[in-house]
Structure formats: structure tokens, C-alpha cells
Amino acid sequence: MRIATWNVNSLRVRLEHVIAWLNEHRPDVLALQETKLPDEQFPADVFAELGYRSVSNGQPAYNGVALLSREPLEDIVTELDTFEDPQRRVLGATVGGVRIYGLYVPNGQSLESEKYVYKLQWLEALRTQLARELDRHERLVVVGDFNIAPEDRDVHDPAAWEGKIHCSPAERAALGRILELGLHDAFREFEQPERAFSWWDYRAAAFRRNLGLRIDLILCSDAMRSLLRSCRIDVEPRRLDRPSDHAPVVADFA
DNA sequence: ATGGTCGATAGTCGA
């Protein structure tokens, strides 16, 4: 089972990139973030032609997540049960006996921002929800744009980013508490190239200089880790014209 | 060079 995640930063703009990528890589499940589309404008028919069912949890202009799947998506959830949130950031479904969550974790903006408080509260509610899901589902995979670089090796310049948004101790601790539930960062289960990132700022030629962060993650439960065969970041779509600022991340399970 | 670029949208906000 191939599971992938991609923050597309507007599905309207990136639709042709997503279509091409689906046809080339044929994941079983693709989680999308920042679709920036209300559900009624989600191009479900386009994906259906490619053999993908889909579910959208969208809103206009901001946020928005979706799941595409070759097999039926069952028991869909669109909320964190313990966190009232008008922002559309969560989509969970069961596919072939695997519980899958696609997430767009709040950015947080800066440590002084109210959005940072919101981010940390949101992550705590996510922890509560994933604990409950693990009680019910041995096979759990949680993917998406976490807006947290787990470790300094996930940051192009750790000194410059020390204590900054995406890298602050509180954010990393919040992610750590989620991992302590019994989840594993699939990417780090394998030997990887150094300076491997999944997001590069549009400014200052950051991609060409590989000045990025690894903030797009695939987490998996113990049972899924035993099935995990590979995990990689596909930087190729970042080279295209009008790219998303994020690259897709792909994990293969037996 | 203390900015830079995108996307959604219609003057700015969010990333």
C-alpha cells in the first residue's frame, strides 16, 4: 500500500501537477493539504476519471484538506473531537483496514502570535484524538503538513532557525508527545540523504539553494512500521513551473 | 540589499 501526502498550496493552480503525479506514481492514497477550495468546487470527477475516489474537507481561500483513494474511504471524520475549529484541517478515513489521517497542522506564524497558541492547543487536541484512534485501530497512518521540523537535521540552517516557528521546543515537544503514543516518523526508519527537505520558501531562490525544512511527515503505528518498506521525498514536482512550495512524501507498505 | 514570492482576492492576509 502506497500512501502519500502533498501540500499543493491551491489545488486549482496545481491540478495538472497532481494529475501528472498521480498517473506517474499511482499511490493507493494521496492526502492533499491547502486545497483552498470549497467542497462543491472540489474536482472529484477529474480524480474519478483517474480511478480515484475522493473526499474533501474544504473552505474558500484558506486551508482545506482532501483524501484521494483507489479503494473506498470509510468512517470519515473531519474534526478534532475536543477542539472546535472553523478551519478545515483534518480528514480521517479507513481504507482497506488502515486508519488514515491527513492533516494540515496550523502554521503558527511566530512564537509571539495568537496563532502559535492556537497551534499548540490544536496539537494537544490532535494527541487526544490519535490516542483514541490507536485504541481502536492497530493500523494507523497519520500524514500531512505538520509545520514542525522534528529535529535540527530537518532544518537547512539550525542556528538561524533555533527557537523560531516550526522549530521551537514547545512545537517539537508537542510532536514528541504524539510520537510517544506509539507512532514513528517513517522517513527516519531508513537511511536518507543529508539535507533532505519537503518545503522551500518561494523567496530568495530557496529551492535552488536547498534552503528548506522537512515539515511534511508520515507517521505510522507499530503495526504499520512492521509493514513499512520505504519512505522518500519526491522533489521533482518542486522543479516544475508554478510549483507548490512543498514536495510530496511517499511511503510504501507491504 | 533586513527584502525577497506566491495564492486568494480585491486591500491585505496568510504562508
Side-chain angles (χ1 to χ4, degrees):
Chain A
M1 187 180 209
R2 173 168 288 180
I3 301 176
T5 180
W6 193 3
N7 180 325
V8 293
N9 185 21
S10 167
L11 183 56
R12 192 177 279 117
V13 173
R14 235 64 69 187
L15 184 58
E16 293 306 316
H17 291 191
V18 174
I19 291 168
W21 195 87
L22 282 172
N23 283 327
E24 183 175 351
H25 297 276
R26 298 304 292 175
D28 294 284
V29 175
L30 173 61
L32 300 173
Q33 300 90 38
E34 288 206 85
T35 56
K36 301 185 177 180
L37 281 177
D39 294 338
E40 59 271 21
Q41 292 179 26
F42 188 82
D45 50 343
V46 173
F47 295 126
E49 280 186 32
L50 303 178
Y52 286 92
R53 306 155 194 268
S54 59
V55 57
S56 164
N57 182 22
Q59 67 180 83
Y62 302 107
N63 310 309
V65 290
L67 287 175
L68 310 182
S69 173
R70 303 172 74 169
E71 297 298 325
L73 297 144
E74 299 171 324
D75 300 323
I76 290 160
V77 299
T78 59
E79 308 273 358
L80 298 179
D81 294 334
T82 62
F83 193 84
E84 194 81 36
D85 191 0
Q87 301 186 27
R88 312 321 291 165
R89 300 180 174 279
V90 175
L91 201 38
T94 302
V95 178
V98 180
R99 192 74 174 144
I100 301 174
Y101 267 74
L103 304 173
Y104 177 45
V105 175
N107 178 292
Q109 194 168 58
S110 73
L111 271 59
E112 297 74 36
S113 172
E114 289 179 16
K115 298 189 183 81
Y116 182 68
V117 178
Y118 162 66
K119 180 178 194 174
L120 295 176
Q121 292 173 338
W122 194 96
L123 286 163
E124 174 56 20
L126 175 64
R127 192 197 63 78
T128 300
Q129 182 121 345
L130 294 180
R132 198 172 314 175
E133 292 285 1
L134 277 165
D135 286 341
R136 297 172 189 166
H137 303 278
E138 194 175 41
R139 295 185 172 193
L140 176 67
V141 179
V142 183
V143 310
D145 177 359
F146 280 73
N147 271 312
I148 301 171
E151 300 176 72
D152 279 352
R153 61 178 165 164
D154 301 311
V155 181
H156 70 88
D157 185 346
W161 281 85
E162 185 180 5
K164 299 278 197 329
I165 196 69
H166 310 304
C167 301
S168 71
E171 290 166 85
R172 286 176 168 174
L175 177 60
R177 284 191 290 275
I178 288 168
L179 295 172
E180 283 168 14
L181 297 171
L183 293 168
H184 310 276
D185 182 347
F187 189 77
R188 292 301 180 201
E189 293 295 312
F190 302 93
E191 193 169 322
Q192 300 288 358
E194 289 185 25
R195 299 171 55 80
F197 309 122
S198 66
W199 170 84
W200 303 260
D201 198 298
Y202 283 122
R203 293 167 287 190
F207 179 66
R208 183 179 58 72
R209 301 156 67 197
N210 196 27
L211 307 181
L213 304 176
R214 190 176 70 92
I215 57 178
D216 299 272
L217 308 179
I218 295 179
L219 311 182
C220 62
S221 62
D222 292 334
M224 291 307 290
R225 178 167 67 164
S226 67
L227 300 172
L228 182 62
R229 294 295 177 262
S230 70
C231 182
R232 58 181 289 267
I233 299 166
D234 180 13
V235 300
E236 291 307 318
R238 189 63 175 80
R239 305 184 199 281
L240 300 173
D241 285 339
R242 290 192 85 191
S244 170
D245 45 352
H246 295 252
V249 186
V250 190
D252 283 317
F253 299 88

